[in-house]
Amino acid sequence: MVMILSALNGCASRPVPAVDQRLIALGQERGASAEQLRRGRELLVTACAYCHTPVYPTSISMERWDKALPRMIEKAQLHAADEADIRAYIIAARATEGGSSH
Amino acid sequence: MCIHQALAARLTGTLSLAAISAIVMLAGPLRSAGADDRRFTFVEESRHHPPAGGLEFEQGILWGADAKEDSKFERLDFRHEIEYGLSDRIQVALDALEWHWQKDAQGHETKYDASGAEIKFRLLDPVTDVIGLGFKTEIEIGRESLHWENVFIVDKVIDKWEFCYNFVIEPDWEGPRYFKYEDSGGELANRFGVSYELSPAWFVGGELIHEIPLPDWKSGEKQNLFIGPNFSYRGHNWAITTTALFLAMGGRDEAQFKLQTIFEIDF
């Protein structure tokens, strides 16, 4: 049982960053509100998680996010405003780790 | 009343209780929940269905080969199904056409088998709730057989892993004359599935099927145990899932090897 749990834990995905003061500040510098960032993260860990584990913001390039997001928004039957919130969160989260927003 | 009739009566009671429970739970406030593509082909998942108002076409192909009592045995089963999301947690489906091609020592044939309809409920969500619970019931009516499959689903998604269990009760009625079903029997089955998410598009895992045939609701036929790997790939509005099963133990008339592929397209 310990071995199984260890294996499961070893294969676990990295949790996406929380919306803390630093992330909010970096988001606001890029024109996003705190509420928008919280909503973006919430959508990433709920709507996206129905089909797959949430993708960590820096685990793929922003170019890949730009390609994947519109397709996933359509598949999950979300709206343009949802896409904007998720994108704002991803850009701010990438900035906390020095990632590019482009 | 013999023990098998008592078992059948108890199963019917269980089904009625499950149906009432489903209606009571679904009558409560609905919480928004998502939809998902398959990770398994033999095992049913509570969250696999189109979104509310969404349509999905499923094309299933099952290839079975090499029975112990007939090495020439080969069979292809085709299923064409249209699924519709009535709500976030109720799906209905029309099994438009089931037919097969079979080759054995006597020759080969292509034959229409049945058409059917199904309804599936998700009572608890495997992602957001402690455990996922679902129920599916399906009736297939053919010229020489009538099958009623009932599947109780328990599943859970833990991060990249999904664990799924089905308990299946399948009464059936058969007869040699068109729509005159004279013999009744059934089958119980346990189905297990484990799947791991390699990426948002790729999933790998395995399935295990334990079948308990009950002809005339009497035990006596050899039970079958199949086990094997599976994979699933998801495209933009389509997905493909394949499972290869090997017969670990079972009857001499069972295929030693089964390969099932299900192709899904969302509209």
Side-chain angles (χ1 to χ4, degrees), chain B residues 119 131 145 156 220 227:
Chain B
I119 185 163
I131 202 149
S145 65
K156 182 62 190 168
I227 188 165

Side-chain angles (χ1 to χ4, degrees), chain A residues 67-78:
Chain A
K67 281 183 186 171
L69 259 182
R71 288 190 289 132
M72 293 297 107
I73 293 295
E74 185 189 337
K75 193 175 175 83
Q77 296 196 319
L78 297 174

